[in-house]
Amino acid sequence: MTGILVIGGGRMGRIHSINVKSLGGELLGVVDVNEAANALARELHVPYFKDIDAAFASLKDKVDAVIIATSTPTHFGLIKQSVECGLDIFVEKPVGINRVEAEEVVKLVHNSGVKLQVGFHKRFDADFAEFSKAVTSGDLGRPLIVRFVARDPVTPQPPAGIFTGEAGAIFYDFVIHDLDMSNWLFGMPTAVYSDGGVFICKWYSNANDLDNVIVELRYKDGPLVTI
């Protein structure tokens, strides 16, 4: 049985913790600096750790993999620490807050040989999987124009985890799902264009971010994709 440590006791951490137990994995504990996560650990009858170093020290002979479900700016450091411990990793997207961090993660994983999966869940949703089959089988014919529409049910408020002070959090924390889907279906684009603005949530300007965006992707032999 694979021993798994969940890092992050918020909404996503709860979902992953429950899934580990329901799918037959061995949930070894929950780690979160917020002591409110202790309630989740008690509910699932596993240890709670406030500090990742303490968790690794306590479970070093038992843990095989980690699930990282913390705020975006913490992902890179936690991935690096997990790689150094030789642990396989599932991490919520993105792996870092900029290109430098993302490329470093790829290098670390390749050099260490550990397994890493990023939480692009749409690839496993039934409707998207069916669409993918229809595209690859040719049942839809040749796609020429594809349009993705994504909206969030709530408006994140700074200083939520997505607001790192680096421009573009809306792209690497939200639009990233649609970018992944488009590239999964059609390969890598030959050209990318984007534009956006702050039209509703005026305080986003202070967080160096946007509240409405458009992304256009061009693929060599089509399609043209708009997000």
Side-chain angles (χ1 to χ4, degrees):
M1 183 180 294
T2 302
I4 299 174
L5 180 67
V6 173
I7 307 172
R11 182 175 67 89
M12 293 306 301
R14 167 177 284 276
I15 291 172
H16 287 305
S17 297
I18 293 173
N19 286 343
V20 168
K21 299 205 78 171
S22 65
L23 294 173
E26 183 182 6
L27 181 63
L28 298 175
V30 175
V31 185
D32 199 305
V33 294
N34 187 344
E35 293 185 0
N38 197 7
L40 173 62
R42 289 197 304 270
E43 176 186 333
L44 298 177
H45 308 290
V46 296
Y48 161 73
F49 301 92
K50 188 173 183 178
D51 179 80
I52 188 65
D53 292 322
F56 282 162
S58 175
L59 302 170
K60 63 180 179 179
D61 296 327
K62 299 179 180 179
V63 63
D64 301 300
V66 297
I67 294 175
I68 300 173
T70 53
S71 60
T72 294
T74 65
H75 290 183
F76 174 72
L78 291 170
I79 290 172
K80 187 175 181 181
Q81 197 167 356
S82 300
V83 167
E84 291 171 351
C85 293
L87 303 175
D88 292 331
I89 304 160
F90 176 94
V91 60
E92 285 297 331
K93 50 73 192 166
V95 297
I97 62 171
N98 53 45
R99 180 172 178 169
V100 173
E101 289 189 356
E103 290 180 345
E104 181 65 18
V105 165
V106 172
K107 190 182 302 182
L108 285 169
V109 171
H110 281 185
N111 291 341
S112 67
V114 305
K115 298 181 179 69
L116 181 142
Q117 182 177 2
V118 184
F120 290 125
H121 63 86
K122 289 186 177 182
R123 294 189 181 207
F124 304 94
D125 288 351
D127 289 341
F128 283 103
E130 193 66 27
F131 178 57
S132 174
K133 288 179 183 177
V135 170
T136 56
S137 67
D139 288 348
L140 287 180
R142 179 186 173 194
L144 299 177
I145 295 178
V146 177
R147 181 175 179 230
F148 291 90
V149 179
R151 300 184 181 94
D152 278 285
V154 296
T155 302
Q157 303 291 319
I162 64 165
F163 295 101
T164 62
E166 291 207 15
I170 192 171
F171 295 104
Y172 59 70
D173 242 314
F174 295 118
V175 182
I176 191 171
H177 277 299
D178 305 289
L179 292 170
D180 176 67
M181 282 302 303
S182 186
N183 291 345
W184 179 52
L185 291 166
F186 308 117
M188 292 298 290
T190 58
V192 179
Y193 167 83
S194 68
D195 200 355
V198 181
F199 305 128
I200 305 297
C201 309
K202 299 303 182 182
W203 58 92
Y204 275 36
S205 296
N206 298 327
N208 203 19
D209 212 341
L210 310 169
D211 64 6
N212 283 271
V213 298
I214 290 175
V215 179
E216 294 181 357
L217 307 170
R218 175 185 291 274
Y219 294 86
K220 182 178 180 181
D221 297 314
L224 297 174
V225 175
T226 298
I227 301 171

